[in-house]
């Protein structure tokens, strides 16, 4: 509004911001200001009703209008970036006008009173993670950085403003000749009508009969129910329309009980109604024009209330006292196009021949290299050649196809990138499962200062690979053209093109003269825009979340239908035929593409889980309705047996533990006499509990401490835990806030079931311990899986975390050190997460800190408890136990530390589950906490040696990568090079399509039991526990290496 005010009245005007529209009217009423500038409607957001209503309550006049071209800017504090912003605040109309832009970025909109006030709020309150939508002027005023300009969804976004005054403009009389209009003026009126058939038609006929142009028609509830006719104060000359020229007696107080109107009155036949409306109309012309005078007289005959709100010039022209107030001649238009400005903006120069001489820059052609010239690469190239010079390469010879399209062809990327030294853009168009390998083999030096574009249908995976593999000065544009050779055969018009400018930085130090990176990015996207694609600016994270619930589930449904072997019948419905069409379309795509949509998009697992649950729930509902059927049906014995053995809906939600399944299979095979190395599949130390612990357990038995204990656990143990937390972790814990449980798993179970409900979300970083998602599902909540990068030691970053946080997020599970990766969060990592959670919009989120492995750290690393961070203890639930650090796995002893209300809820749950933890184990736990660190260090030193052996040997296996575990006793190597559609079992020729299939092969043919990464939410890896003997570690890795080497890989 301030920018519009300065555009209409000039930059020297004193513009005073008000906290509300009503404050603007009040200030004008008490003469605190000379004029009020108010938005009345927007071409995208519609009318601003408050301003219409306020015009009725106040007797002000419209004296000018301005159609202001809205150029919304996204602005934030100077250190914010696109990635750190999560919430955008502004006036609700501005948010609506940028809705598609905000959705594409994944930002959460939040309403504030106005645009400039939103910018001020961010500046004054130093709001981190927030951005405002406002004008450039607001950014200048409040010292904010503009992240993006012109973010409105429609480039034709215009807001119309009214300038209000306490006095109206002087209107020139006498009347002009009949039917002649003052076409540079407008007249605004408001009137009411009685509830009578055809009343609105009759009112509008007053204008249509005189060929008057109505530019605005708005209706509002008639809250004030005024009567009378009010016109602009003018001299009452013969033939003029003065305020005293009409007789208001007919319409006086018509809402009250009244006598029947006189015969012939247009008020005859009116019906009383609770709902009454006011109608606002803008008319092209002046109240001095005869057609308008006659139309208003006509309207006054049927309208109990009629008021002229103003007669004013169009197009921002200033007249009478308005022009005088700003010191400009009558009839001046300050708001000429070239007069638009912001603070300290220099005058716009006239176009010169020199400026005109650089205009051909718009016609620059890119040089695009397409790596991967298969079906999709050729499809893209056919359109690229219309806009750019194109070169391509592929391992299969497609030179003939390239020549036919007009593309220069090479046999490999090395030749292409070495011989073509003026490439602007490299498009990588390869299969998802081959993407990482191909990118890793590209000559990195040749990609410096080149814009690299991917076209995969999974985006976070592509972004992660490109960020890890490319030089820092290479640009990254992640895209997903959501169409292909079939759907885009004839036209790309209207087809979605999703893109995310991941890293677009203009490189000023580049030795070669080439276009800036940002210009190359714009020109590349312009190819799709010029083909009329629906351009969708969306973050990679947001894309994958939405794709899992749309693209993946579509493919999955089609594949399921294909396995049912269904066929059309004589009674097939349209819906059934649509399902068969879906089947036919999805199976046309390769299974590799389908599996990649699952493997490379972690959100797909959550979608699949929801689908499993939905199917189970639906089956239960169907069976529960069985008893309602009343037709003659005799149940078979099998049906009766099934009904008797029916399991609960609750248990149907539970999946068995994958680690337990693997251990069970290994045990079974060993019992059958097979040589199986199985100690690496179980998370259990290979050393016995320290002797003092065993002696304490025996003493408890001998002294009769074998009875029930309090549900919460014995006080001695809770006090010992509180002391240990204070001494070693700097965490203040009251014994009353500690619950002793039968193992750490029960502590997690009690915490989640006490806090989470249907509709809640729990963030579970992957790879994760197998039980986390299952326990979350049992609570009715939804596990939200978020992948972590092995090249970054599986550490969860605040940016990755913020991408999945919502108002429904109840809890984040943070396993530190982590099972199954062994990653250990440093203090700085935890502080970054805590800083994120300290934002006001995340104040509702708790952290479940699973610290069961906290004593097992290596390389001199220190474990930091999340609860020890400032401001985090009251939002942290600590889970710990005695199984890992003291090898007390069979004692089943753990504990939960939580705020009082949550602890009481967990205590209530435990009282109904198992009453209490084992009394003998609790007394053994008291002794364990009294042991000196020197008694435990030798045990942990042995584990560190085993870690070094395991990780060292794994990283020597070709095409295997294993991050070094900083804690716990697990290694989680990436073995994705050894499964896929190109990998076969050498014994029976069956495909090794996943880590599950790989582990089945290894245990069956090479006698080594390992746990597949599928169980941990990371399908590329496998888990090995090195808490076993050196002999078993060497034997297991020998067998793993032999098994991988024997695979048939094409």
């Amino acid at each position: 509004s301030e920018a519009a005010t300065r555009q209409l009245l000039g930059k020297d005007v004193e513009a005073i911001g008000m906290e509300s529209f009503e404050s603007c009217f009040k200030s004008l009423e008490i003469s605190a200001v000379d004029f009020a500038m108010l938005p009345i409607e927007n071409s995208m957001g519609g009318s601003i009703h408050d301003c219409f209503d306020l015009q009725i309550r106040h007797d002000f006049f419209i004296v000018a209008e301005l159609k202001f071209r809205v150029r919304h800017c996204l602005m934030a504090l100077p250190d914010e970036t696109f990635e750190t912003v999560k919430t955008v605040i502004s006036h609700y109309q501005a948010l609506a006008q940028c809705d598609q832009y905000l959705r594409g970025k994944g930002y959460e909109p939040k309403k504030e009173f106005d645009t400039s006030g939103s910018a001020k709020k961010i500046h004054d309150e130093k709001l981190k993670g927030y951005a405002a939508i406002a004008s450039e002027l607001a950014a200048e005023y409040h010292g904010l950085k503009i992240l993006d300009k012109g973010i409105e969804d429609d480039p034709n976004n215009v807001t119309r403003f009214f300038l209000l005054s306490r006095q109206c403009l002087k209107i020139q009389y006498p009347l002009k000749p009949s039917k002649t209009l003052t076409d540079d003026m407008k007249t605004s009126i408001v009137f009411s009508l009685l509830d009578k058939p055809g009343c609105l038609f009759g009112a509008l006929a007053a204008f249509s009969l005189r060929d008057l142009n109505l530019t605005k028609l708005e209706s509002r509830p008639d809250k004030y129910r005024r009567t009378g006719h009010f016109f602009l104060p003018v001299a009452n000359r013969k033939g003029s329309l003065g305020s005293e020229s009409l007789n208001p007696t007919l319409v006086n107080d018509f809402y009250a009980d009244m006598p029947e109107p006189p015969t012939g009155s247009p008020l005859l036949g009116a019906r009383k109604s609770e709902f009454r409306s006011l109608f606002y109309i803008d008319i092209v012309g002046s109240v001095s024009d005869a057609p308008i005078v006659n139309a208003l007289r006509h309207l006054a005959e049927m309208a109990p209330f009629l008021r002229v709100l103003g007669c004013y010039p169009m197009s921002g022209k200033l007249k009478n006292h308005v022009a005088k107030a700003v010191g400009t001649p009558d009839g001046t238009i300050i708001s000429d196009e070239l007069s638009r400005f912001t603070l300290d903006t220099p005058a716009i120069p006239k176009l010169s021949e020199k400026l005109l001489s650089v205009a051909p820059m718009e016609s620059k052609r890119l040089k695009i290299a397409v790596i991967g010239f298969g079906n999709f690469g050729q499809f893209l190239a056919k359109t690229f050649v219309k806009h750019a010079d194109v070169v391509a390469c592929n391992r299969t010879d497609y030179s003939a196809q390239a020549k036919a399209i007009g593309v220069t062809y090479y046999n490999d990327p090395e030749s292409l990138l070495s011989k073509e030294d003026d490439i602007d853009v490299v498009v990588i168009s390869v299969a998802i499962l081959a993407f990482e390998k191909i990118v890793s083999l590209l000559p990195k030096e040749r990609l410096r200062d080149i814009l690299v574009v991917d076209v995969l249908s999974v985006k976070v995976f592509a972004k992660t690979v490109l960020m890890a593999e490319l030089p820092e000065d290479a640009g990254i544009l992640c895209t997903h053209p959501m169409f292909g050779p079939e759907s885009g055969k004839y036209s790309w018009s209207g087809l979605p093109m999703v893109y995310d400018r991941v890293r677009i930085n203009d490189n000023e130090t580049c030795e070669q003269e080439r276009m800036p990176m940002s210009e190359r990015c714009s020109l590349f996207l312009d190819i799709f825009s010029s083909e009329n694609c629906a351009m969708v600016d969306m973050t990679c994270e947001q894309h994958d979340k939405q794709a899992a619930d749309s693209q993946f589930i579509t493919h999955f449904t089609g594949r399921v239908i294909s396995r049912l072997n269904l066929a059309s019948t004589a009674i097939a419905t349209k819906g059934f035929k649509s399902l068969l069409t879906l089947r036919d379309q999805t199976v046309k795509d390769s299974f590799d593409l389908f599996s990649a949509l699952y493997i490379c998009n972690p959100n797909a697992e959550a979608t699949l889980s929801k689908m499993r649950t939905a199917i189970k729930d639906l089956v239960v509902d169907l069976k529960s309705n069985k008893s309602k059927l009343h037709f003659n049906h005799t149940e078979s014995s099998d049906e009766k047996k099934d009904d008797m053995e029916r399991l609960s809906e609750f248990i149907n939600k539970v999946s068995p533990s994958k680690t337990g399944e693997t251990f069970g299979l290994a045990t079974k095979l060993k019992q059958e006499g097979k040589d199986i190395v199985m100690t690496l599949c179980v998370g259990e130390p290979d050393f016995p509990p320290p002797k003092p612990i065993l002696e304490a357990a025996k003493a408890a038995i001998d002294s009769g401490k074998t009875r029930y204990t309090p549900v919460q656990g014995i006080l001695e143990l809770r006090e010992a835990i509180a002391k240990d937390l204070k001494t070693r972790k700097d965490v203040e814990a009251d014994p009353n806030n500690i619950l002793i449980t039968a193992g750490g798993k029960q502590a997690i179970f009690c915490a989640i079931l006490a806090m989470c409900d249907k509709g809640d979300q729990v963030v579970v970083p992957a790879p994760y311990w197998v039980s986390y998602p299952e326990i979350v599902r049992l609570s009715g909540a939804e596990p939200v899986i978020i992948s972590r990068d092995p090249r970054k030691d599986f550490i969860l970053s605040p940016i990755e975390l913020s991408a999945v946080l919502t108002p429904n997020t109840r809890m984040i599970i943070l396993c530190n050190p982590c099972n199954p990766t062994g990653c250990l969060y440093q203090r700085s990592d935890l502080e970054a997460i805590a800083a994120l959670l300290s934002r006001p919009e995340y104040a509702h989120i708790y952290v479940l800190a699973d610290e069961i492995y906290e004593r097992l750290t290596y390389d001199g690393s220190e474990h930091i408890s999340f609860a020890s961070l400032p401001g985090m203890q009251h939002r942290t639930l600590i889970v710990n136990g005695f199984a890992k650090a003291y090898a007390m796995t069979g004692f089943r002893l753990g504990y939960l530390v939580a705020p009082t209300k949550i602890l009481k809820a967990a205590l209530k749950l435990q009282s109904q589950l198992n009453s209490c933890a084992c009394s003998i184990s609790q007394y053994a736990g008291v002794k364990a906490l009294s042991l000196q660190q020197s008694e435990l260090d030798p045990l942990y030193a042995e584990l560190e040696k085993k870690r070094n052996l395991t990780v060292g040997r794994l990283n020597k296996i070709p095409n295997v990568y294993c991050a070094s575990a900083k804690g716990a006793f697990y290694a989680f190597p990436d073995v994705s090079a050894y499964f896929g559609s190109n990998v076969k079992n050498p014994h029976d020729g069956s495909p090794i399509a996943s880590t599950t299939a790989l582990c089945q092969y290894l245990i069956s043919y090479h006698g080594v039991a390992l746990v597949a990464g599928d169980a941990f939410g990371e399908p590329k890896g496998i888990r090995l526990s090195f808490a076993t003997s050196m002999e078993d570690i060497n034997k297991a890795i020998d067998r793993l290496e032999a098994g991988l080497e024997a695979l048939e890989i094409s």
Side-chain angles (χ1 to χ4, degrees), residues 424-599:
D424 297 302
V425 180
V426 169
V427 177
I428 304 176
S429 176
V430 299
I432 298 174
L433 296 179
F435 182 79
E436 186 171 14
K437 182 177 181 180
I438 287 174
V439 173
S440 69
L441 295 175
L442 293 176
K444 304 302 185 294
E445 191 63 27
R446 295 285 182 181
L447 295 175
R448 297 195 61 192
D449 197 41
I450 284 181
L451 175 62
V452 180
V453 181
D454 88 280
V455 291
L456 299 188
S457 49
V458 289
K459 298 270 53 82
V460 173
F461 168 71
K463 173 182 174 180
T464 302
V465 171
L466 295 176
M467 292 287 285
E469 295 288 346
L470 296 184
E472 289 187 3
D473 57 358
I476 299 175
L477 176 66
C478 287
T479 74
H480 181 192
M482 299 189 68
F483 49 90
E486 285 297 319
S487 56
K489 182 186 296 185
Y490 303 109
S491 170
W492 293 4
S493 181
L495 299 175
M497 167 62 174
V498 182
Y499 62 94
D500 183 6
R501 298 182 183 92
V502 174
R503 188 170 70 197
I504 307 295
N505 299 318
D506 293 330
N507 184 10
E508 298 178 0
T509 63
C510 180
E511 297 178 1
Q512 298 182 8
E513 291 291 333
R514 61 165 79 231
M515 278 185 280
M517 190 72 71
S518 57
E519 185 177 351
R520 278 178 274 166
C521 179
S522 295
L523 286 176
F524 180 79
L525 291 174
D526 283 346
I527 294 175
F528 294 87
S529 296
S530 65
E531 295 293 328
N532 294 318
C533 288
M535 305 300 288
V536 183
D537 187 354
M538 178 181 287
T539 65
C540 293
E541 291 76 14
Q542 193 72 14
H543 169 278
D544 280 7
K545 187 173 180 62
Q546 294 185 19
D549 288 337
S550 56
Q551 189 183 18
F552 171 72
I553 206 165
T554 300
H555 277 262
F556 185 86
T557 303
R559 295 279 174 177
V560 169
I561 295 170
S562 72
R563 299 196 177 194
L564 297 177
N565 297 319
L566 302 176
S568 187
T569 68
I571 59 171
T573 62
K574 287 184 178 179
F576 179 72
K577 290 177 180 178
S578 297
L579 288 176
L580 296 184
T581 301
L582 173 64
R583 172 200 65 188
D584 296 341
Q585 289 174 343
T586 52
V587 297
K588 281 181 183 177
D589 293 320
S590 68
F591 192 82
D592 276 359
L593 171 62
F594 173 54
S595 61
L597 293 176
Y598 170 73
I599 294 169

Side-chain angles (χ1 to χ4, degrees), residues 667-938:
T667 302
K668 180 176 178 293
L669 292 174
K670 198 156 190 174
Q671 288 171 348
E672 293 172 357
K674 295 183 179 180
D675 179 17
I676 304 291
V677 180
M678 55 185 288
T679 53
L680 278 71
C681 71
V682 180
E684 184 172 38
D686 67 325
F687 53 82
K691 191 174 180 180
I693 295 175
L694 299 177
E695 291 173 346
K698 185 175 182 300
I701 296 172
D702 292 341
S703 61
K705 295 176 180 176
T706 56
R707 302 289 185 177
Y708 289 129
T709 72
V711 176
Q712 193 167 352
I714 61 173
L715 181 61
E716 298 98 309
L717 180 55
R718 288 186 282 122
E719 288 177 337
I721 292 169
K723 180 181 178 182
D724 182 63
L725 285 170
K726 176 60 180 174
T727 303
R728 292 193 306 111
K729 300 298 176 187
D730 195 27
V731 174
E732 293 277 0
D734 190 304
N736 291 324
N737 290 98
I738 298 172
L739 171 65
I740 308 303
T741 58
K745 185 179 290 190
Q746 186 183 333
I748 295 170
F749 187 91
C750 287
I752 292 176
L753 263 69
M755 290 192 66
C756 299
D757 212 338
K758 188 173 183 178
D760 291 332
Q761 294 176 332
V762 177
V763 176
V764 182
Y768 48 70
W769 178 51
V770 294
S771 294
Y772 291 146
E774 295 301 322
I775 296 174
V776 170
R777 290 187 189 101
L778 284 175
S779 74
E782 174 194 355
V784 177
I785 311 301
I786 177 171
S787 291
R788 294 176 289 173
D789 187 353
R791 305 281 173 172
K792 297 178 182 177
D793 293 330
F794 294 105
I795 299 298
L796 178 65
S797 74
I799 293 176
E800 293 168 328
L801 178 58
S802 63
V804 301
L805 297 182
T806 73
N808 294 328
T809 304
R810 181 67 167 147
M811 178 187 294
I812 300 163
I813 297 180
L814 199 63
C815 184
N816 183 36
C818 176
N819 172 8
T821 66
C823 77
L824 176 70
Y825 287 80
Q826 303 301 313
R827 180 179 291 276
S828 58
D829 301 321
L830 297 174
E831 287 174 342
I833 293 173
L836 173 68
L837 297 182
S838 295
R839 294 181 183 178
E841 66 268 34
Y842 300 139
H844 60 287
I845 299 174
Y846 283 82
V847 172
L848 193 156
D850 185 348
E851 299 179 352
I852 191 74
Y853 296 96
E854 51 92 10
R855 281 185 177 268
L856 308 179
T857 60
Y858 312 123
D859 304 323
S861 300
E862 177 190 8
H863 173 267
I864 305 297
S865 177
F866 193 80
S868 69
L869 302 180
M872 287 297 116
Q873 182 166 351
H874 71 288
R875 297 173 60 184
T876 305
L877 286 69
I878 300 175
V879 170
N880 207 332
F882 297 80
K884 313 301 180 180
Y886 302 101
M888 295 170 63
T889 52
F891 283 71
R892 307 312 302 132
L893 188 64
Y895 60 85
L896 169 69
V897 185
T900 302
K901 186 174 181 179
I902 298 170
L903 199 285
K904 286 182 177 179
L907 180 63
K908 185 195 302 182
L909 185 60
Q910 174 156 294
S911 71
Q912 298 296 343
L913 285 174
N914 61 333
S915 298
C916 63
C918 171
S919 61
I920 299 161
S921 299
Q922 292 188 58
Y923 287 104
V926 174
K927 186 61 180 181
L929 290 173
S930 71
L931 296 179
Q932 299 298 311
Q933 189 66 34
S934 57
E935 298 177 74
L936 302 170
D937 283 342

